[in-house]
Amino acid sequence: MNLMASLSLATYPEANTPKIASNAVAVAKHIGATLHAVAINVDIPDVSNALSSYLLDLPNKIREAEATSRKSGKNLLETVAKEASQGGVSLTTQELTAPPALIGDTAAAQCRYFDVSLVGWASDNQTARMTAEAIVFGSGRPTLLLPDTTEIGSLDHVVIAWDGSRVAARSVADAQPFLERASMITVVTVTDEKPLPGHLPF
């Protein structure tokens, strides 16, 4: 059975760049996975009242923000579809909506249905960083942070953070597709934090 990878696309207030599409397809192709791309568009609750409508025109600003988010999501999904077609990667797409405070949680919950999570990362994109953090800590799945502005490099060096725990063992098992293709594996441990076995089994 093929692996299934989920790609979460941020659209609000800052959208992922189109580079995320080619990088996600490259990773999916590398591990032989089908790709499911999800654009998470914003759904801003209506908190307007007569005063805010008159002074700030909040309803119109909310509509504009939601429309911009939907447009960004549609463009990103179209770019992923084009890259997947050219790369020979099987693709499905989906659009979800969430309030601004729950975008990351929505992405994390969606990722739980897949084998591997992919998400864009850019140091200057707060939305991408918050989404990535929510997925890393909330999806329970191996998560790859993909560069949002540069071409992805080779995936031949895998780093394992090992502390002898059940969680670490599960993480290593989940990373099997990458371990099998790695030319170098580095095991990292933190000493003097908790007891570790004197001999590692790998």
Side-chain angles (χ1 to χ4, degrees):
M1 188 171 82
N2 285 348
L3 289 173
M4 298 176 65
S6 174
L7 170 64
S8 299
L9 298 167
T11 67
Y12 174 88
E14 298 174 84
N16 289 121
T17 69
K19 178 56 70 178
I20 194 69
S22 58
N23 286 340
V25 168
V27 169
K29 191 169 185 177
H30 180 74
I31 62 174
T34 61
L35 186 60
H36 182 74
V38 182
I40 303 174
N41 303 321
V42 73
D43 180 16
I44 302 173
D46 184 7
V47 294
S48 63
N49 55 40
L51 183 61
S52 65
S53 297
Y54 178 74
L55 295 177
L56 303 174
D57 194 19
L58 277 183
N60 188 51
K61 289 181 179 177
I62 288 173
R63 284 192 297 272
E64 288 177 359
E66 290 177 341
T68 299
S69 173
R70 287 192 302 271
K71 182 178 179 182
S72 295
K74 183 172 185 272
N75 290 341
L76 285 168
L77 290 176
E78 288 175 352
T79 305
V80 174
K82 179 181 176 184
E83 292 287 342
S85 177
Q86 293 174 349
V89 171
S90 178
L91 173 72
T92 55
T93 62
Q94 183 179 10
E95 291 184 73
L96 298 176
T97 59
L102 297 179
I103 288 175
D105 292 340
T106 301
Q110 180 71 15
C111 290
R112 293 175 193 148
Y113 296 97
F114 298 86
D115 301 304
V116 179
S117 302
L118 309 177
V119 63
W121 177 269
S123 59
D124 59 348
N125 186 331
Q126 184 68 18
T127 305
R129 286 166 43 202
M130 290 174 63
T131 303
E133 182 177 327
I135 291 172
V136 167
F137 291 105
S139 70
R141 294 298 185 196
T143 302
L144 274 70
L145 305 180
L146 305 177
D148 210 8
T149 55
T150 60
E151 200 74 33
I152 197 165
S154 60
L155 298 172
D156 57 358
H157 184 191
V158 174
V159 179
I160 297 173
W162 182 258
D163 64 0
S165 68
R166 178 185 62 82
V167 173
R170 173 63 189 267
S171 297
V172 171
D174 285 342
Q176 194 68 27
F178 301 97
L179 297 173
E180 290 172 352
R181 294 165 175 81
S183 60
M184 180 167 63
I185 299 173
T186 302
V187 179
V188 178
T189 61
V190 176
T191 58
D192 300 327
E193 186 179 79
K194 63 171 145 177
L196 290 173
H199 175 71
L200 296 177
F202 42 77

